[in-house]
């Protein structure tokens, strides 16, 4: 990792112009990217939106970059074309302490997606801040996710507080859900918080998703 300037365990000042961070998107039409040293929270309103995001993010990662899917449940096993993804690793953790330890073992500048974050034991603000510190120090693209079928659309900030403890610590807060009508699919995205250079992405987005969903459903059925 040549361009990323890691944080250290003491106050430090840097010039933003000196940093060139790489970012990844699950697919081209996604409203914003996820960059090195960032911490993002994603809420999935259904299993299909989760599968679309996970397959997309795994498929879009450059071959030289490690990608890790870890958590207590909901990991994405290699199948079909993803079976040849050499740098995809799956791991189980069951508490926030175990997650912190695991983050110290992954390769620097990797992409780490945590499935089922709110199911981890011993979640607390101190542990969450520690995960943020590790993401900064190691240049990780860290994405914490949770899937829920009972989302309160009228109070999304409270949903993020319930599942992710401290929303203000995150660079991005994103909700994803899918719907279908007469065999056509759309991916609906709500962005509550985004990095300052991506504030134009705030708000609601609806993306036609037939080209994403249909190959995925075919792959799952095979």
């Amino acid at each position: 990792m040549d361009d990323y300037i890691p944080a250290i365990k003491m106050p430090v000042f840097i010039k933003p112009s000196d940093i060139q961070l790489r970012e990844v998107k699950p697919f081209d039409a996604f409203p914003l990217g996820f960059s090195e040293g960032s911490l993002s929270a994603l809420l999935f309103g259904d299993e299909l939106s989760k599968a679309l995001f996970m397959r997309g993010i795994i498929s879009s990662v450059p071959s030289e970059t490690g990608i890790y899917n870890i958590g207590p449940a909901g990991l994405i096993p290699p199948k079909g074309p993803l079976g040849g993804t050499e740098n995809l690793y799956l791991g189980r953790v069951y508490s926030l302490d175990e997650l912190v330890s695991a983050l110290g073992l992954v390769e620097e500048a990797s992409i780490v997606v945590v499935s089922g974050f709110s199911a981890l034991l011993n979640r607390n603000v101190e542990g969450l801040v520690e995960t943020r510190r590790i993401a900064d120090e190691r240049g990780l693209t860290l994405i914490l996710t949770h899937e829920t079928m009972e989302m309160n659309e009228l109070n999304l900030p409270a949903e993020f507080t319930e599942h992710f403890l401290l929303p203000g610590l995150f660079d991005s807060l994103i909700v994803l859900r899918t719907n279908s009508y007469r065999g056509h699919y759309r991916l609906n995205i709500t962005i509550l918080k985004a990095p300052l250079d991506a504030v134009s992405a705030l708000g609601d987005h609806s993306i036609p998703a037939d080209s994403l969903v249909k190959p995925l459903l075919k792959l799952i059925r095979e």
Side-chain angles (χ1 to χ4, degrees):
M1 183 179 58
D2 297 326
D3 298 325
Y4 186 78
I5 300 177
I8 57 177
K9 296 181 182 180
M10 61 178 292
V12 62
F13 295 94
I14 57 177
K15 294 179 65 175
S17 59
D18 293 337
I19 305 176
Q20 299 294 326
L21 302 182
R22 293 173 293 181
E23 68 173 24
V24 63
K25 288 185 175 184
F27 44 87
D28 290 340
F30 203 79
L32 55 76
F34 303 91
S35 64
E36 298 174 50
S38 66
L39 178 64
S40 303
L42 270 66
L43 274 177
F44 300 114
D46 54 83
E47 292 184 2
L48 184 53
S49 62
K50 175 182 178 179
L52 284 177
F53 179 84
M54 291 299 301
R55 293 282 173 170
I57 205 77
I58 291 171
S59 299
S60 63
V61 172
S63 59
E64 69 275 9
T65 300
I67 180 165
Y68 298 78
N69 184 203
I70 59 181
L75 306 184
I76 302 296
K79 186 177 181 181
L82 295 183
T85 304
E86 296 180 358
N87 292 331
L88 172 63
Y89 304 92
L90 308 179
R92 297 282 188 184
V93 296
Y94 300 96
S95 70
L96 187 54
D97 291 339
E98 291 179 356
L99 174 60
V100 169
S101 296
L103 294 179
L105 299 176
V106 305
E107 297 177 4
E108 291 189 0
S110 298
I111 296 168
V112 182
V113 181
V114 180
S115 295
F117 174 77
S118 66
L120 293 176
L121 298 174
N122 303 322
R123 292 185 306 129
N124 55 71
V125 170
E126 290 79 7
L128 182 62
V129 172
E130 179 67 7
T131 66
R132 175 77 213 220
R133 182 184 67 78
I134 295 173
D136 286 339
E137 286 187 341
R138 312 201 72 221
L140 304 179
T141 303
L142 182 56
I143 304 171
L144 309 184
T145 75
H146 176 70
E147 179 187 342
T148 177
M149 299 296 184
E150 300 179 352
M151 189 184 306
N152 183 355
E153 295 279 357
L154 298 178
N155 194 357
L156 290 176
E159 290 285 324
F160 279 100
T161 299
E162 176 182 355
H163 298 298
F164 300 104
L165 303 175
L166 195 62
L169 193 63
F170 292 80
D171 298 290
S172 303
L173 302 175
I174 304 172
V175 181
L176 289 86
R177 42 296 207 223
T178 56
N179 61 30
S180 62
Y181 179 70
R182 294 185 176 180
H184 294 285
Y185 295 86
R186 299 191 73 87
L187 178 63
N188 299 313
I189 305 167
T190 299
I191 300 179
L192 275 71
K193 185 179 181 183
L196 290 178
D197 61 352
V199 292
S200 60
L202 293 173
D204 296 318
H205 308 261
S206 185
I207 300 172
D210 284 354
S211 62
L212 302 171
V213 173
K214 293 181 179 179
L216 174 61
L217 294 179
K218 181 180 178 181
L219 178 63
I220 291 173
R221 291 171 183 143
E222 290 178 351

